[in-house]
Amino acid sequence: MKIVTILGARPQFIKAGTVSRAIMEYNQSEVGSEKLEEIIVHTGQHFDANMSDIFFNEMKIPKPDYNLDINGLGHGAMTGQMLEKIEEVLLKEKPDWVMVYGDTNSTIAGALAASKLHIKVAHVEAGLRSFNMNMPEEVNRILTDRISNILFCPTQSAVDNLEREGYVAEEGRRKKEEGFGLVIKNGDVMQDGALFYKNLAQKPSEVESSKLEVGSYILCTIHRAENTDDPKRLKSIFEALSEIAKETQIILPLHPRTKAILKSSNFKLDTSNLIIIDPVGYLNMVYLIKNAKMIMTDSGGLQKEAFFFEKPCITLRDETEWVELIENKFNVLAGADKEKIIDLYHTFAFNNDFSIDLYGGGKASEIIVKELLGY
């Protein structure tokens, strides 16, 4: 069985790496006679200088078989070029499956190219909804779900979203509504990755050791356009962080673009209390998460990683796809309101019982391999 995996950004490679390892483990086992061949295509959507040979070696991720080098374009031009180039790869490789991840332009382009060639599509991280159609990611994930043959859902809420949209999910049965894909609750491949990389964490050289006392600091990230491109929201968030940092250290890996926005802004901010560093590699980030007291972020991925590493999280957004973290009080939405952020930091009663299984307990990739073989 041949699988072509379409990826476009570093986080997708990290997620897909867990499935690639599950495929290799299956091939090395004596479970079945049928072997799986995986061909990896990197669209180049997010150019990342950190994705060198060292990145793939350190992360134990297979290198791409194809690099399409499509980046720096608008949504339409980028998606159109990806569709054309991915189709060429699929015609050459003739796979049984195309596997896509998440909600990027690479995701929808891969799913569309496969669907038009009548190649089965597997969507990992299916069923997620922010219910905000202004987000291009929301459009991508909804359309990808609609043309996928198997929808691998990380959570029960993702399954529930699909059922409300007309999909059918029945445990242990392959009943499908006509024209709708098979819904599988497999868990979250990010948890598989977190467990794998936990022991490979590396201390970042960007932060002095004296400022990395275990359990003493807050790890914060801010990168979403809804915050960085809105001066009022950005100012309010940084005023809150500056206030909190008077009593608890805050380490903030900050993207150069956000740094430039802060520097050129008309409002003056006192960031002297914050430990602002350049973005770090994934294994450095795992170290910072693992040893933090708390996470504050507008990142979807980091909200879940906070849970995987048993850290409370304050989310600097007005909504989140990971509603189960909110419902179980591992996470709380603060938006960009200064007073609310500070108040939640001081008063919110977080749940400290992380024994609940919300994301599959590290078996998500194994289930994906099993379901593809049995489809």
Side-chain angles (χ1 to χ4, degrees), residues 42-89:
H42 180 18
T43 66
Q45 178 173 343
H46 294 161
F47 175 75
D48 194 331
N50 291 320
M51 283 182 62
S52 61
D53 286 352
I54 294 172
F55 166 77
F56 289 102
N57 292 334
E58 282 188 346
M59 300 298 291
K60 304 187 187 306
I61 295 171
K63 296 176 188 175
D65 298 281
Y66 294 87
N67 193 326
L68 306 183
D69 197 26
I70 301 167
N71 51 66
L73 302 169
H75 284 290
M78 181 185 291
T79 308
Q81 285 194 25
M82 287 177 184
L83 188 57
E84 179 184 2
K85 297 297 183 183
I86 291 169
E87 183 179 69
E88 291 176 7
V89 173

Side-chain angles (χ1 to χ4, degrees), residues 3 41 64 138 141 253 267 282 351:
I3 300 166
V41 178
E138 184 79 348
R141 61 173 71 113
F267 51 84
Y282 183 73
N351 184 355

Side-chain angles (χ1 to χ4, degrees), residues 13-25:
F13 274 92
I14 294 169
K15 294 170 189 175
T18 66
V19 179
S20 295
R21 283 189 291 276
I23 288 172
M24 287 186 278
E25 287 172 10

Side-chain angles (χ1 to χ4, degrees), residues 129 133 137-146 167:
R129 300 289 183 267
M133 289 299 289
E137 296 90 348
E138 184 79 348
V139 176
N140 288 341
R141 61 173 71 113
I142 289 172
L143 295 178
T144 300
D145 283 343
R146 190 62 187 84
Y167 298 78

Side-chain angles (χ1 to χ4, degrees), residues 174-188:
R174 296 196 172 280
K175 178 179 177 183
K176 294 173 285 184
E177 290 286 286
E178 186 176 350
F180 286 85
L182 173 65
V183 177
I184 300 291
K185 180 186 171 186
N186 67 301
D188 198 322

Side-chain angles (χ1 to χ4, degrees), residues 101-118:
Y101 288 76
D103 51 26
T104 65
N105 288 339
S106 302
T107 309
I108 184 60
L112 273 172
S115 180
K116 288 177 180 292
L117 292 173
H118 307 293

Side-chain angles (χ1 to χ4, degrees), residues 123-141:
H123 185 198
V124 180
E125 294 185 315
L128 300 180
R129 300 289 183 267
S130 67
F131 304 101
N132 180 359
M133 289 299 289
N134 291 321
M135 294 172 60
E137 296 90 348
E138 184 79 348
V139 176
N140 288 341
R141 61 173 71 113

Side-chain angles (χ1 to χ4, degrees), residues 155-320:
T155 64
Q156 185 58 46
S157 62
V159 173
D160 295 342
N161 289 336
L162 291 174
E163 290 190 333
R164 280 192 291 269
E165 293 172 15
Y167 298 78
V168 174
E170 291 192 9
E171 198 73 29
R173 295 180 60 190
R174 296 196 172 280
K175 178 179 177 183
K176 294 173 285 184
E177 290 286 286
E178 186 176 350
F180 286 85
L182 173 65
V183 177
I184 300 291
K185 180 186 171 186
N186 67 301
D188 198 322
V189 294
M190 280 188 69
Q191 184 166 29
D192 299 22
L195 295 173
F196 179 79
Y197 292 118
K198 191 173 184 178
N199 296 322
L200 299 176
Q202 297 174 3
K203 184 183 292 187
S205 59
E206 290 84 354
V207 187
E208 296 173 28
S209 294
S210 60
K211 295 178 179 178
L212 277 177
E213 186 179 342
V214 174
S216 68
Y217 62 86
I218 297 168
L219 174 64
C220 179
T221 69
I222 303 165
H223 77 279
R224 295 187 75 89
E226 66 195 71
N227 288 328
T228 61
D229 294 353
D230 185 327
K232 186 177 178 182
R233 288 179 70 94
L234 197 61
K235 180 174 184 286
S236 181
I237 288 171
F238 268 87
E239 285 178 346
L241 296 179
S242 183
E243 190 70 27
I244 293 168
K246 290 177 182 177
E247 59 181 87
T248 305
Q249 250 176 10
I250 296 179
I251 295 176
L252 178 58
L254 199 60
H255 194 279
R257 178 177 170 275
T258 311
K259 271 188 184 178
I261 290 171
L262 286 173
K263 193 173 182 180
S264 64
S265 62
N266 295 324
F267 51 84
K268 287 192 174 182
L269 286 174
D270 178 13
T271 60
S272 58
N273 293 334
L274 308 175
I275 302 172
I276 297 177
I277 63 174
D278 290 332
V280 297
Y282 183 73
L283 296 181
N284 292 147
M285 198 65 176
V286 169
Y287 182 94
L288 291 174
I289 300 167
K290 184 178 174 182
N291 293 293
K293 170 185 178 181
M294 173 184 279
I295 306 298
M296 300 180 77
T297 187
D298 60 8
S299 161
L302 190 49
Q303 291 174 54
K304 286 189 297 176
E305 287 170 320
F307 174 79
F308 300 154
F309 289 97
E310 302 186 358
K311 309 296 176 182
C313 180
I314 294 178
T315 294
L316 308 172
R317 286 172 57 186
D318 299 320
E319 77 280 314
T320 179

